[in-house]
Amino acid sequence: MSEEQKLQEFQKRIDAGEIIEPKDWMPEKYKKQLVRMMSQHAHSEIVGMLPEGNWITRAPNLRRKMALIAKVQDEAGHGLYIYSATESFGVSRQELIDQLLEGKAKYSSIFNYPTLTWADIGVIGWLVDGAAIVNQTMLAKSSFGPYARAMIRICKEENFHKKQGFEIVATLADGTDEQKTMVQDAVNRWWQPSLMMFGPPDNDSPNSAELMRWKVKLQSNDDLRQRFVDLTVPQAKAVNLTLPDPDLKFNEETGHWDFGKIDWDEFWRVVKGSGQMNKARLKARRDAHKNGAWVREAAEAYAAKHKN
């Protein structure tokens, strides 16, 4: 069978809704796109531990502390699930981690913003994890089996994270004037970065069309962003918080919430390394990798000793 015939057969499988497994034939570019996408996702989970881990020792009570520890632990697990999926292509976890530590790999730009107050932890759970759920629910139906299966478990855990965050937000929004001001300030700072999590507009996204043709993604960036806005506006109203967008209004004709312009210059500036926390996040990961060298060496020595 010629290469062109293989491509046609592969697309027929995709169009028929079949799931692609690692040992199946696939175009090299399909594999390349998946490795790029999954590694970026895995890196985001690992780097995403840092903004919240910073608040574990400062959580306001034991219950909040335990929930936050559990959440940060979950994020580590999510990264490992997805690294495992990339390993099914023969790409080693160490290779991907090296790319991250060397600054060659991307991760979600939202994790390059600082967590200034306890309210940020609640808003991250509500908005950031809420956006992740919208995106990952789609990915749970991806054409690539290992990625889709990883998303099923991850989405269940992300729902816990969102509920935890929204509870914090609701408690602060119903608290003292100082608490209400604090949580509104956090919403004001995290709203636009949350909208950016879905990626650039469809007409400026270099990979979306191909990913959708192969059903790695089932919805476009703009459609997912719109769904997130439609879900989030009623939640904000329920706790009497204002989303920082003067153009936000319900469109009776479309049945959706219209929203204002997103600062894409800011998005690309952060993606290219000039965000508030880009350097600090990479330094933290490099330091952790260096400080954990003895654990890896001990594990390798133990495995070698008990190999036979």
Side-chain angles (χ1 to χ4, degrees):
M1 187 180 291
S2 68
E3 190 73 12
E4 184 60 34
Q5 288 173 320
K6 288 180 180 179
L7 284 170
Q8 291 175 359
E9 288 300 313
F10 179 79
Q11 191 61 51
K12 285 180 182 178
R13 291 190 64 193
I14 295 292
D15 294 340
E18 292 186 34
I19 299 299
I20 307 301
E21 298 295 346
K23 292 184 179 180
D24 294 346
W25 185 91
M26 64 191 73
E28 194 60 33
K29 198 164 185 184
Y30 177 86
K31 183 187 297 184
K32 185 177 180 180
Q33 284 279 29
L34 277 164
V35 171
R36 177 195 61 80
M37 188 173 175
M38 290 190 296
S39 63
Q40 180 175 320
H41 190 165
H43 297 329
S44 299
E45 299 284 358
I46 299 300
V47 176
M49 298 162 62
L50 297 173
E52 294 169 300
N54 180 45
W55 277 89
I56 289 174
T57 58
R58 294 180 286 167
N61 55 52
L62 181 59
R63 176 173 174 267
R64 297 294 190 201
K65 188 187 297 287
M66 291 173 64
L68 187 55
I69 289 171
K71 180 183 179 183
V72 172
Q73 179 178 275
D74 284 348
E75 305 296 359
H78 297 173
L80 297 182
Y81 300 155
I82 304 169
Y83 281 137
S84 295
T86 61
E87 286 177 324
S88 67
F89 284 137
V91 181
S92 74
R93 187 175 308 184
Q94 189 58 54
E95 180 182 345
L96 297 178
I97 292 173
D98 287 345
Q99 290 172 5
L100 173 65
L101 299 177
E102 292 165 8
K104 297 177 181 178
K106 302 294 185 187
Y107 57 86
S108 180
S109 62
I110 200 162
F111 299 120
N112 289 314
Y113 291 87
T115 44
L116 303 180
T117 69
W118 172 251
D120 288 37
I121 303 305
V123 172
I124 287 173
W126 173 36
L127 296 182
V128 177
D129 293 318
I133 290 168
V134 169
N135 192 45
Q136 292 169 3
T137 301
M138 170 201 67
L139 292 174
K141 300 175 183 177
S142 167
S143 62
F144 186 58
Y147 197 20
R149 290 189 288 271
M151 286 304 104
I152 293 172
R153 176 169 179 174
I154 289 174
C155 284
K156 290 178 180 178
E157 292 176 350
E158 291 289 2
N159 271 291
F160 156 71
H161 301 167
K162 181 181 177 181
K163 289 177 182 178
Q164 173 199 353
F166 190 70
E167 184 193 12
I168 293 172
V169 166
T171 299
L172 293 173
D174 193 40
T176 65
D177 289 344
E178 185 179 7
Q179 288 172 325
K180 292 175 184 176
T181 299
M182 180 172 65
V183 72
Q184 182 63 61
D185 173 68
V187 171
N188 293 347
R189 286 183 286 106
W190 288 95
W191 176 244
Q192 278 256 334
S194 297
L195 295 179
M196 296 173 187
M197 280 184 68
F198 299 96
D202 293 340
N203 59 7
D204 197 28
S205 179
N207 298 300
S208 284
E210 192 165 61
L211 290 170
M212 290 183 69
R213 175 163 61 86
W214 284 327
K215 295 188 179 179
V216 174
K217 290 177 61 172
L218 301 182
Q219 291 178 273
S220 72
N221 295 352
D222 288 337
D223 286 345
L224 291 168
R225 192 168 8 253
Q226 183 66 64
R227 175 164 172 74
F228 171 69
V229 173
D230 291 343
L231 289 170
T232 306
V233 172
Q235 294 166 3
K237 290 179 177 294
V239 290
N240 296 314
L241 288 171
T242 302
L243 297 175
D245 184 350
D247 296 324
L248 191 65
K249 61 181 179 179
F250 188 71
N251 188 321
E252 296 285 352
E253 293 183 6
T254 65
H256 296 293
W257 283 89
D258 292 338
F259 53 96
K261 292 182 180 179
I262 297 171
D263 186 354
W264 291 114
D265 289 339
E266 161 76 1
F267 170 79
W268 289 115
R269 185 179 68 81
V270 177
V271 167
K272 292 175 181 177
S274 298
Q276 296 176 60
M277 301 298 292
N278 287 69
K279 292 180 181 178
R281 297 293 184 235
L282 277 182
K283 182 180 184 303
R285 291 311 314 156
R286 288 169 182 151
D287 288 348
H289 190 74
K290 181 180 178 181
N291 293 336
W294 69 272
V295 179
R296 296 191 299 276
E297 291 167 4
E300 288 170 2
Y302 181 88
K305 182 178 179 181
H306 293 82
K307 188 174 182 180
N308 297 318

